[in-house]
Amino acid sequence: MNLRELTGRVLDEVERAVVGKREALELVLLGLLADGHVLLDDFPGLAKTLIARSFAQVTSLRFARVQFTPDLMPSDVTGSSIYNQRLGDFEFRPGPVFTNLLLGDEINRSPPKTQAALLEAMQERQVTIDGVTRRLERPFLVVATQNPIEYEGTYPLPEAQLDRFLLRLSVGYPSPEAEWRMLERRLERTSDEVELAPVATPADLLAMQRAIEDVHVASSVGRYMVELVGATRASPRVQVGASPRGTLALLKVSRAKAALAGRDFVTPEDVKAVAVPALAHRLILRPELWVRRVRTEDVVAELLEQVPTPPPEAEPAPVRPGHPLGVPGTPPAP
């Protein structure tokens, strides 16, 4: 089974639980394929937790959930050494971070010290406790949620941690038709819980992540990514633009987007499709724009209109037998 077919089955199964949100689900899946972390920033009751749990079920990933609260300690996330009276020595009790898919629910409700407990795990895929470094089993992915309307008693994520998230996205309210389909399915199954079938394994996910590395990026498309990120730094509306980590994020997600579309080469349209969720959370606007309620998403969208799009390249080569993506071959260099 090729990557496009397998990812289609994963999305179809998750959509049995999360109705009418295919675009948001695709973005979360792009984060998983690109081996990155995803921040879901939206109102309560919009299936943010359900999305994370559903992807874990469908891909057979070990799942752990941490409810971030003001009294949560870093050791509650990473684990700690506990004295064992029977053995007369300290033994390590791993925390919920030792899993495959970690849901950090309402991550902005814990103080920065606890939020920072995830930094090493997210960036290095390891945890250092009492001077001992322990590797996290791959795949290791963090899906975090936060509520954009309740700021009392919360601690906004610092820019250094926001930058660790590959994507930030909103789910949004369903359409009336999708909301009715949700009610219909609830009436049919006579239960709140949705039983999802596993259609992939952790090994499949790792194989798909490796296959993304075979997606070709032409120099013109790569330079387009660089120019787009550079435009965020030069914009008069932006105080701090996207860092080189943002450029790398744009590269990774664009390759995953191309593979999901059944191609093994990236087009400028792939870059445009993922630029807002990949870059907007990495920008800091000038203070006077906050009063006007200008959003970083709006700034990135405007820059997409301003930065020239590179011309299309030559037609792709014929399909290569046995290609890991199961998609057409890489287009020749111009």
Side-chain angles (χ1 to χ4, degrees), residues 27 30 167 249-250 253-254 257 269-279:
L27 284 172
L30 290 180
L167 297 168
L250 194 57
V253 187
S254 298
K257 176 68 174 177
E269 284 66 35
D270 295 324
V271 180
K272 292 180 178 181
V274 301
V276 172
L279 296 179

Side-chain angles (χ1 to χ4, degrees), residues 86-142:
R86 185 171 58 85
L87 299 177
D89 200 0
F90 286 90
E91 65 176 0
F92 178 68
R93 301 281 180 86
V97 75
F98 288 86
T99 188
N100 293 133
L101 196 155
L102 176 68
L103 171 63
D105 215 356
E106 296 188 289
I107 192 172
N108 58 332
R109 292 206 172 275
S110 287
K113 182 177 181 180
T114 303
Q115 294 172 359
L118 277 178
L119 279 175
E120 183 183 13
M122 293 173 67
Q123 186 66 30
E124 309 295 337
R125 264 66 172 195
Q126 65 183 29
V127 174
T128 302
I129 302 169
D130 297 332
V132 179
T133 299
R134 294 174 171 85
R135 302 291 301 178
L136 297 174
E137 179 186 342
R138 285 182 176 268
F140 173 73
L141 304 157
V142 174

Side-chain angles (χ1 to χ4, degrees), residues 166-227:
L166 189 71
L167 297 168
R168 183 182 69 180
L169 61 125
S170 299
V171 180
Y173 289 106
S175 66
E177 182 61 30
E179 199 160 1
W180 168 239
R181 289 204 311 272
M182 178 189 71
L183 294 183
E184 279 187 317
R185 295 181 184 182
R186 172 61 181 83
L187 292 170
E188 289 173 2
R189 66 176 181 267
T190 67
S191 172
D192 284 334
E193 295 299 319
V194 184
E195 294 293 331
L196 299 180
V199 300
T201 65
D204 291 330
L205 180 57
L206 289 173
M208 289 189 288
Q209 290 177 350
R210 289 192 296 269
I212 297 299
E213 295 299 322
D214 289 325
V215 176
H216 173 73
V217 180
S219 59
S220 60
V221 178
R223 288 186 177 276
Y224 175 58
M225 297 180 194
V226 172
E227 290 173 6

